[in-house]
């Protein structure tokens, strides 16, 4: 998985996976993704993980004391 988040900086981004359980999304897993500075205003993060089958939504957020907590938009997907 990969994505982007503002502002641009090196470090880590917290990547959160929510799994659909009986019609409601519950936090399933989270890990730190590694940032590579993409531009002065955008960070690109990467993360590798194998998820069990199901319906998910994912978002990323900055997770360090040097930046305000900012969130990406939700992405929805299905693992078969």
């Amino acid at each position: 998985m990969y994505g982007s988040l503002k502002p641009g900086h090196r470090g880590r981004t917290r990547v959160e996976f929510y799994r659909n359980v009986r019609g409601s999304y519950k936090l399933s897993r989270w890990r730190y993704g590694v940032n590579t500075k993409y531009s002065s205003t955008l960070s690109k993060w990467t993360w590798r993980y194998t998820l069990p089958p199901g319906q998910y939504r994912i978002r990323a957020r900055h997770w360090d004391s040097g930046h305000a907590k900012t969130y990406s938009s939700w992405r929805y997907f299905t693992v078969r």
Side-chain angles (χ1 to χ4, degrees), residues 8-59:
H9 73 93
R10 295 195 187 277
R12 340 185 259 184
T13 294
R14 182 174 160 146
V15 182
E16 301 174 340
F17 285 86
Y18 290 75
R19 188 173 186 182
N20 189 331
V21 179
R22 293 183 220 108
S24 180
Y25 284 93
K26 307 287 184 195
L27 181 63
S28 173
R29 306 230 193 297
W30 65 268
R31 295 287 187 269
Y32 291 113
V34 177
N35 289 346
T36 55
K37 193 168 184 179
Y38 187 74
S39 72
S40 62
T41 59
L42 197 64
S43 296
K44 183 175 180 181
W45 58 266
T46 57
W47 191 63
R48 272 190 177 277
Y49 195 76
T50 302
L51 294 168
Q55 294 179 327
Y56 294 88
R57 68 181 183 178
I58 181 177
R59 74 174 173 183

